[in-house]
Amino acid sequence: MLPTLRLRLVVVFALVALTAAVSASGIAYWLNRDAVLTRAQNAALNDFRKTMEDNAGNLPRKVECDQLRDAARKMARSTQDYQVLLIGETREGRPCAAASNEDDFTLQHVPESLRSAVAKKRKVDSANSYPYHLYWQRITKGGDPYLIGGAKVIGVSPTPTGYMLKSLAPERDDLNSLAWSLGIATGLALIGAMLLAQFAATTVLRPVRRLAEAARRLGEGKLDTRLRVSGTDELAELSRTFNRTAESLERRVADLSSREESSRRFVADMSHELRTPMTAISAVTEVLEEEQENLDPMIAPAVQLVVSETRRLNDLVENLMEVTRFDAGTAKLVLDDVDVADQVTACIDARAWLDAVELDADRGITARLDPRRLDVILANLIGNALKHGGSPVRVSVRTRTRDDGEPELAIEIADQGPGIPEAVLPHVFDRFYKASASRPRSEGSGLGLSIALENAHIHGGEITAHNAPGGGAVFTLRLPRDARRVVEEREREERDEHGEHGEHGEQDAHGEQDAQDEHGGSGDGDVNGERQRRDGER
């Protein structure tokens, strides 16, 4: 409802100020209203009682209407500005009602309840000194408030009864003016509270915004971000806590980065150092394999084991070197226009899989990708499907449009096996992950699918895995039709990160070395492909 802290502070301040102002104004209004009406009412009734005693009290018991009228007019000339109605009994015994102004005040204007109360005679005792009392009531006449009071002259009956009618319009106007004044004061108090809330929000939110900006920079990897702290309040203590946390995080990340860099360098150095002896060992094992038929039958199984393990070790070294390049961020794309159907066919043919793979791809579907890395992805996915799912493996190539409007290439590899267990699906792309703990050793290195995924990511693509409804695992590779934008964005990020020419030069040198390593890896891949083809022919 209230998305920002500033808005919440303003609303809370406004509600508190409005509640306080309305409460104070309401209390002040009702107190003043009661005081104004009570003062006007008491002044009019006291004056009416006095004039009744002075004028109506001196009239004879049997009076004429003219005498009542003269007395009523004389009573109405009071400073309280009210009208008077006198009711008496003439000498003939007829009732007479005489008003100071018969057009505005007659007996019909007097409520029946007030007439009954005024005419009622009460018992005189210690608690009640007089048989008759003065009574009053507020009425509305013509939309204006009025006060009506009535009393009976005490004496031997019949005695006259008098009523007064006083307008309370001036008091009403005064109270309306007071209400307007209180309303304006409430509005000003509300505006003042909102301005105060804005000032308070600015004071509070300025360090909060600085803290949010610092947290954002920290999340972007700028671990040297610190806040300038002043004051001793809670926000200052929060800033100090942030600085201590950032400092601790910087130390921890520096330590972890150092360890990771050492581990990565160790793996890279180890892989590079192993390549030379592995090349020699591979050559020896190829010679042993060619001479296997001439060996002693007791030695032949051991030689075959050495050959297979040497190949497995060689693949592991190559995969470790590839993983090292991904981890170091030095893997580069060498883009070229690729006919996808021809690329898939070449991948299958190089590994002697033509009889075990069905290709569903239209000719002429082209994409600008890295052919070597696409071959690595396809070889790993198809080889994994053949090894664990069984043939025939179906490879389907389709084109589609992504949500952002960019054209996309979708390659689907489906096998005929039992599928992937649900517990294994989230981990199929993890490095060295084994589906069964009881079978930790397999022909593969456990890095193939993770390398395929890294190669998809470097293209700006993705690989997903799921089980088909009828059985079998399905791997879906999605790649952009043109990876040039991915390359440009990565180069722009590297320029922003390094910025200096010296750093660019160093990066270019490393990149050139990585390119040489990758071409070397590609050559090894061709050798492995040729070896697999010979195995298939045998």
Side-chain angles (χ1 to χ4, degrees):
M1 295 297 293
L2 300 176
T4 63
L5 181 58
R6 178 184 295 275
L7 184 58
R8 287 197 289 270
L9 283 174
V10 171
V11 170
V12 169
F13 269 73
L15 289 177
V16 171
L18 184 63
T19 303
V22 168
S23 300
S25 299
I27 294 172
Y29 176 80
W30 285 109
L31 290 177
N32 281 275
R33 178 180 181 276
D34 185 69
V36 169
L37 292 179
T38 300
R39 183 170 59 250
Q41 173 183 294
N42 291 341
L45 292 176
N46 290 334
D47 187 79
F48 176 68
R49 180 186 291 109
K50 187 175 183 303
T51 55
M52 277 286 292
E53 294 174 356
D54 294 343
N55 294 280
N58 295 327
L59 293 175
R61 288 189 301 119
K62 299 291 185 176
V63 297
E64 297 295 334
C65 284
D66 292 339
Q67 292 178 307
L68 287 175
R69 189 172 294 108
D70 292 340
R73 289 173 179 173
K74 187 177 180 180
M75 293 173 61
R77 288 195 291 268
S78 170
T79 56
Q80 292 296 319
D81 192 21
Y82 50 74
Q83 299 179 34
V84 178
L85 174 65
L86 294 178
I87 301 173
E89 188 175 327
T90 64
R91 290 186 177 89
E92 291 80 11
R94 290 179 291 112
C96 177
S100 60
N101 188 345
E102 295 179 355
D103 295 333
D104 294 335
F105 190 29
T106 63
L107 189 59
Q108 295 178 353
H109 294 120
V110 181
E112 184 63 33
S113 58
L114 181 60
R115 281 185 272 174
S116 299
V118 170
K120 183 177 180 181
K121 184 177 181 180
R122 285 170 170 74
K123 182 179 179 181
V124 178
D125 52 21
S126 58
N128 183 36
S129 302
Y130 303 99
Y132 299 100
H133 295 270
L134 174 63
Y135 294 93
W136 59 271
Q137 185 175 346
R138 293 173 190 156
I139 64 170
T140 300
K141 175 187 171 186
D144 294 327
Y146 285 89
L147 173 67
I148 291 185
K152 188 175 181 65
V153 177
I154 299 173
V156 180
S157 296
T159 54
T161 302
Y163 296 96
M164 58 152 292
L165 177 68
K166 177 177 175 55
S167 174
L168 297 177
E171 286 75 16
R172 178 198 59 190
D173 295 339
D174 292 342
L175 291 174
N176 287 341
S177 298
L178 176 63
W180 275 105
S181 300
L182 293 175
I184 294 173
T186 301
L188 292 176
L190 182 60
I191 294 174
M194 294 179 68
L195 294 176
L196 181 63
Q198 285 284 354
F199 175 76
T202 301
T203 304
V204 172
L205 293 181
R206 187 181 296 113
V208 173
R209 282 196 299 269
R210 287 200 297 264
L211 182 62
E213 177 66 18
R216 184 187 64 80
R217 291 170 60 85
L218 192 67
E220 292 175 353
K222 299 175 181 177
L223 301 180
D224 58 343
T225 302
R226 299 293 185 274
L227 290 172
R228 187 176 67 256
V229 182
S230 61
T232 58
D233 57 5
E234 289 80 1
L235 290 175
E237 183 60 29
L238 179 61
S239 299
R240 293 189 183 92
T241 302
F242 175 85
N243 288 341
R244 289 193 294 267
T245 303
E247 184 178 356
S248 175
L249 180 62
E250 184 179 17
R251 288 197 303 268
R252 180 65 63 85
V253 170
D255 182 55
L256 292 177
S257 298
S258 176
R259 294 183 183 181
E260 182 182 5
E261 180 64 25
S262 299
S263 299
R264 197 161 48 229
R265 186 174 298 277
F266 171 77
V267 174
D269 293 343
M270 180 186 67
S271 301
H272 277 285
E273 292 298 327
L274 286 175
R275 290 188 70 179
T276 301
M278 285 305 305
T279 302
I281 294 174
S282 297
V284 173
T285 54
E286 288 183 0
V287 172
L288 290 175
E289 186 178 15
E290 292 175 357
E291 299 295 332
Q292 186 174 2
E293 295 180 356
N294 302 325
L295 296 176
D296 190 318
M298 298 295 292
I299 302 176
V303 171
Q304 183 61 37
L305 178 61
V306 170
V307 170
S308 61
E309 290 300 309
T310 301
R311 289 175 179 172
R312 180 171 178 271
L313 183 58
N314 189 63
D315 292 340
L316 178 60
V317 171
E318 295 297 330
N319 288 336
L320 285 175
M321 293 184 64
E322 187 74 6
V323 169
T324 302
R325 282 190 284 269
F326 283 122
D327 289 344
T330 58
K332 303 293 182 182
L333 289 176
V334 181
L335 299 181
D336 196 2
D337 292 327
V338 176
D339 187 300
V340 180
D342 291 345
Q343 181 75 20
V344 176
T345 302
C347 175
I348 298 172
D349 183 47
R351 293 159 179 83
W353 292 338
L354 287 175
D355 296 337
V357 179
E358 298 177 357
L359 176 60
D360 179 14
D362 296 332
R363 298 291 176 179
I365 299 178
T366 60
R368 189 162 185 79
L369 303 168
D370 188 328
R372 186 187 73 82
R373 295 189 182 279
L374 179 59
D375 181 78
V376 171
I377 297 173
L378 294 173
N380 278 297
L381 294 179
I382 298 174
N384 183 77
L386 289 172
K387 183 184 299 182
H388 300 287
S391 60
V393 172
R394 184 177 181 83
V395 180
S396 303
V397 180
R398 298 289 183 268
T399 58
R400 64 184 68 179
T401 302
R402 296 190 304 193
D403 295 337
D404 57 2
E406 293 293 329
E408 184 181 62
L409 180 69
I411 303 176
E412 196 172 85
I413 296 95
D415 60 45
Q416 304 299 319
I420 305 173
E422 293 298 327
V424 177
L425 268 176
H427 306 285
V428 291
F429 296 105
D430 293 352
R431 296 176 182 177
F432 301 108
Y433 181 77
K434 303 293 183 180
S436 175
S438 62
R439 297 174 59 192
R441 176 180 174 82
S442 65
E443 295 181 4
S445 63
L447 294 173
L449 290 180
S450 65
I451 291 176
L453 183 62
E454 293 290 350
N455 278 297
H457 286 168
I458 200 174
H459 281 90
E462 186 60 69
I463 304 177
T464 57
H466 67 279
N467 291 317
V474 179
F475 287 82
T476 303
L477 168 65
R478 293 182 177 87
L479 297 175
R481 292 283 296 273
D482 192 344
R484 280 179 294 187
R485 190 175 68 174
V486 178
V487 174
E488 292 171 357
E489 290 178 355
R490 187 171 291 113
E491 291 177 351
R492 190 182 307 113
E493 291 176 358
E494 290 178 357
R495 285 196 301 269
D496 294 341
E497 181 178 357
H498 297 285
E500 298 180 359
H501 294 288
E503 292 176 337
H504 281 300
E506 183 180 356
Q507 181 65 31
D508 293 340
H510 286 299
E512 184 178 355
Q513 180 63 39
D514 292 329
Q516 294 174 359
D517 292 342
E518 289 177 6
H519 287 300
S522 178
D524 292 340
D526 294 338
V527 172
N528 291 336
E530 180 67 26
R531 183 190 306 134
Q532 291 177 5
R533 184 162 56 251
R534 291 202 306 270
D535 292 342
E537 292 173 355
R538 280 201 297 271

